[in-house]
Amino acid sequence: QEQEQQQQQSYNDKEEKKGFHEEQLTGSSLALRDTEATGDGDEQSDEDESWQDDAADFPFDHCPEDLPGLYDHHSVACRVLAEKPELYHNFKHKRTSLGSTLAPCIKPGIDTPGCVFFNTLGLVAADAECYEVFRELFDEVLLTRTLRVDPRRARHHNDSSYFKLTNTPLDPSGKFVLKVRVACARSLSGFRMPPSCSSEERLAVEELIVKNLTSLSASEGSKWVGEYHRALGDG
């Protein structure tokens, strides 16, 4: 009987959420119909278009004195900034040692209002130091995704010891595992990340990686012999 009550309660909760979303959508449709009926649609459209243009023009390399209006923005970062505008004013003139500002970090969330039913983070790191320089903002946003781990206390543990790798076959019979692929990606210290990285920095990263890969290929008896081919349009 207790199990039946729990199932019924779960069903009621789902129906309540469903009714809430339907009510929101219905309300939006009615509001749109009223706007069309009163002939105020063009004026409202002009206002929305103007506001969107302002948001899409958020600078890439510096923060303006005032934060743009975050009306109808649904990313986590925009919600945090709307609730705590002092974070923006505390960080707007700060830079990392590589020259990154807060602007490229919050630009994705400001340029793209997002959807009310799916909240993206709306925040990226322009370089590794952003996590420290703009820590209060990043912690607030990351807390919404790491509910069981407080980023203010968590520490990343790095273990790159290849001695812990094993040659043990995953599927000795060969009946189930057809292929194994391992993809590794990481950022290089001393360079800004893609949200803030310049063309010159990208070329420098390429040059550094190619130099080291070539040194592996040139080693006597190396099994990493190969050639590097640049993608069309690079450089």
Side-chain angles (χ1 to χ4, degrees):
Q1 184 177 3
E2 182 179 352
Q3 185 177 5
E4 291 179 356
Q5 291 177 349
Q6 291 178 348
Q7 291 176 347
Q8 182 63 38
Q9 181 62 42
S10 176
Y11 175 79
N12 293 339
D13 291 342
K14 291 180 179 179
E15 287 298 307
E16 183 178 351
K17 290 181 180 179
K18 179 180 178 182
F20 170 74
H21 293 319
E22 289 179 348
E23 182 180 351
Q24 279 195 323
L25 293 174
T26 304
S28 300
S29 300
L30 290 174
L32 178 61
R33 244 183 266 137
D34 290 343
T35 300
E36 293 174 347
T38 56
D40 295 334
D42 292 339
E43 181 179 355
Q44 182 67 31
S45 175
D46 292 341
E47 291 179 359
D48 289 346
E49 184 178 352
S50 174
W51 171 81
Q52 290 287 358
D53 289 343
D54 291 341
D57 287 339
F58 190 78
F60 170 81
D61 56 351
H62 71 281
C63 289
E65 284 300 315
D66 298 318
L67 183 67
L70 300 179
Y71 167 75
D72 206 26
H73 277 62
H74 305 293
S75 69
V76 178
C78 286
R79 185 172 70 242
V80 171
L81 290 172
E83 294 173 353
K84 298 182 178 181
E86 67 274 8
L87 291 177
Y88 178 80
H89 293 290
N90 292 341
F91 295 145
K92 63 184 178 182
H93 295 310
K94 289 189 176 182
R95 289 180 178 269
T96 66
S97 60
L98 294 177
S100 299
T101 68
L102 181 66
C105 299
I106 62 177
K107 183 176 175 62
I110 294 180
D111 285 357
T112 308
C115 174
V116 66
F117 298 117
F118 181 75
N119 302 136
T120 60
L121 292 182
L123 184 69
V124 295
D127 63 50
E129 198 177 325
C130 290
Y131 291 106
E132 293 297 331
V133 176
F134 312 121
R135 170 173 282 277
E136 289 84 350
L137 176 59
F138 274 90
D139 284 352
E140 288 283 346
V141 173
L142 291 175
L143 271 172
T144 66
R145 292 294 187 269
T146 57
L147 299 179
R148 296 184 179 181
V149 180
D150 188 341
R152 293 168 293 191
R153 298 183 177 88
R155 291 294 179 268
H156 177 68
H157 298 284
N158 185 25
D159 187 352
S160 302
S161 175
Y162 65 89
F163 292 106
K164 295 182 180 180
L165 299 177
T166 176
N167 292 328
T168 303
L170 295 176
D171 177 26
S173 67
K175 295 180 179 179
F176 307 101
V177 179
L178 301 180
K179 181 173 63 174
V180 176
R181 179 186 178 190
V182 178
C184 300
R186 64 172 300 154
S187 301
L188 301 180
S189 61
F191 295 96
R192 292 183 293 181
M193 297 179 184
S196 187
C197 191
S198 65
S199 298
E200 291 75 13
E201 286 174 296
R202 293 173 189 269
L203 291 174
V205 169
E206 180 189 36
E207 181 180 354
L208 179 62
I209 293 177
V210 172
K211 178 181 178 181
N212 284 275
L213 290 177
T214 304
S215 67
L216 289 176
S217 300
S219 301
E220 184 177 353
S222 174
K223 62 179 180 179
W224 305 108
V225 177
E227 295 183 13
Y228 173 76
H229 300 275
R230 304 188 70 186
L232 294 177
D234 285 357

